[in-house]
Amino acid sequence: MITKKNQKYYMVGMVAISVLVSSFVFYFYQVFFSPNTLTETDQAATLYIPSNATFQQVSDSLTQNEIITDVISFSFVAKMMKYQENVKPGRYTIEPKLSNKELVTLLRSGKQTPINLTFNNIRTKEDLAEKISKNLEIREDQFLELIRDSLYIRKFDFNEETIMSMFIPDTYEVYWDMTPEQLFDRMYREYNKFWTDDQKAKAEALNMSPVEVSTLASIVQAETAKKDERAKIAGVYINRLQRNIPLQADPTLVFALGDFSIKRVLNVHKEIDSPYNTYMYAGLPPGPINLPDKSSLDAVLNYQEHNYLYFCAKEDFSGYHVFSTNLRDHLNQARKYQNALNAAKVF
């Protein structure tokens, strides 16, 4: 028989259990659903998770960058949702006031935020590697090892002199943790997107391959920063190629010498024995001397037809050029420009 005293104990016990259960449920609710990210700001944060990162590294990064407020509750939810064994690398945008459940769901999904990878004004493989490594997880040495690997780049039908033409300057949406191989595959797809059947037909009409167009475009780009003048300069070089006249392009000498601080090409520079010396060797050099952008490539493919064989920078230093059909007029203009350089003390 249940006595009144036992009933009293029973009721007290039930109340205590009820309170404990309610407290436990409330705690769980708080742990899973209360805001725990950037609680003191309305600005989103960026979290980088390197490849092969451990959960502890993720937790440390969230704490050190003051993205989460309570690391213990985050770790508990991560354990319950089995994220600790499923860390995915990438670049993640963390919005303010996410709950632990929302944060773990995001990180566990691997739904990272893409970045805009932009590269331009690139001369060398080292320049490109530096630009890439600033924006992606890829290290400079990883990129350089691959771009110098003659066996690897052969799969794209390029060699060590021509591989740079595969990288067409632009802005590309990519993921931060992409591998060097994934980057090369992506650039090859973008290269083929540019080189449509129509573009290839224009190159063929010039009796050039796409790589040769890229090589000439790199010279045109090095000669002028004025995009409205590039098609005209391209026409000069195409006229010289068709007449088997050496290109005599100063930027190719600078590239051959590897000294990009040279502001004034002198006769002594023309003596370097290099396949990139277009004073010494007729035709195009072995590969591009920089990464020509799309406007430079289009300038060659849609070059301006004329009879000019020479051009020289204007003496007003405007960046534009004077074009000539004969050597006498060209030398007269070159003299004016040299005098202007002397007066400005440019050596």
Side-chain angles (χ1 to χ4, degrees), residues 122-259:
I122 302 294
R123 289 193 181 102
T124 66
K125 295 173 183 177
E126 290 74 20
D127 290 340
L128 184 56
E130 181 181 2
K131 179 75 74 171
I132 294 295
S133 63
K134 282 183 179 179
N135 295 282
L136 300 177
E137 187 183 19
I138 299 169
R139 300 192 314 270
E140 282 189 50
D141 62 309
Q142 290 177 313
F143 181 85
L144 287 172
E145 182 180 357
L146 212 57
I147 203 170
R148 291 168 177 165
D149 187 334
S150 58
L151 291 178
Y152 178 76
I153 60 180
R154 196 177 299 168
K155 67 179 280 191
F156 304 108
D157 294 324
F158 293 99
N159 58 39
E160 292 181 75
E161 286 76 27
T162 62
I163 184 60
M164 289 286 278
S165 60
M166 189 177 80
F167 294 81
I168 299 178
D170 208 334
T171 297
Y172 302 98
E173 188 175 85
V174 300
Y175 289 107
W176 173 78
D177 64 327
M178 71 189 312
T179 65
E181 291 80 6
Q182 289 172 333
L183 175 65
F184 272 70
D185 289 341
R186 172 67 183 279
M187 291 299 100
Y188 186 57
R189 290 197 299 273
E190 297 295 339
Y191 176 84
N192 286 325
K193 282 182 185 177
F194 176 83
W195 284 104
T196 61
D197 290 341
D198 181 55
Q199 299 282 61
K200 289 178 181 178
K202 289 180 179 180
E204 189 175 349
L206 291 171
N207 197 29
M208 289 185 184
S209 67
V211 167
E212 289 173 325
V213 170
S214 294
T215 300
L216 182 55
S218 72
I219 297 173
V220 171
Q221 181 168 290
E223 289 284 14
T224 181
K226 306 297 184 182
K227 293 184 179 181
D228 58 343
E229 194 182 48
R230 288 177 178 173
K232 194 171 184 179
I233 289 178
V236 171
Y237 284 128
I238 287 171
N239 287 343
R240 295 178 76 91
L241 286 170
Q242 291 176 345
R243 291 166 174 77
N244 201 32
I245 300 173
L247 297 183
Q248 297 183 329
D250 288 354
T252 63
L253 291 180
V254 173
F255 182 84
L257 292 162
D259 183 358

Side-chain angles (χ1 to χ4, degrees), residues 17-55:
I17 291 172
S18 181
V19 170
L20 286 173
V21 170
S22 297
S23 299
F24 189 70
V25 170
F26 180 72
Y27 173 76
F28 261 75
Y29 181 85
Q30 290 287 93
V31 165
F32 273 83
F33 299 105
S34 292
N36 192 34
T37 67
L38 307 165
T39 56
E40 303 298 325
T41 180
D42 292 325
Q43 299 294 319
T46 301
L47 174 68
Y48 292 92
I49 301 179
S51 298
N52 302 314
T54 64
F55 172 75

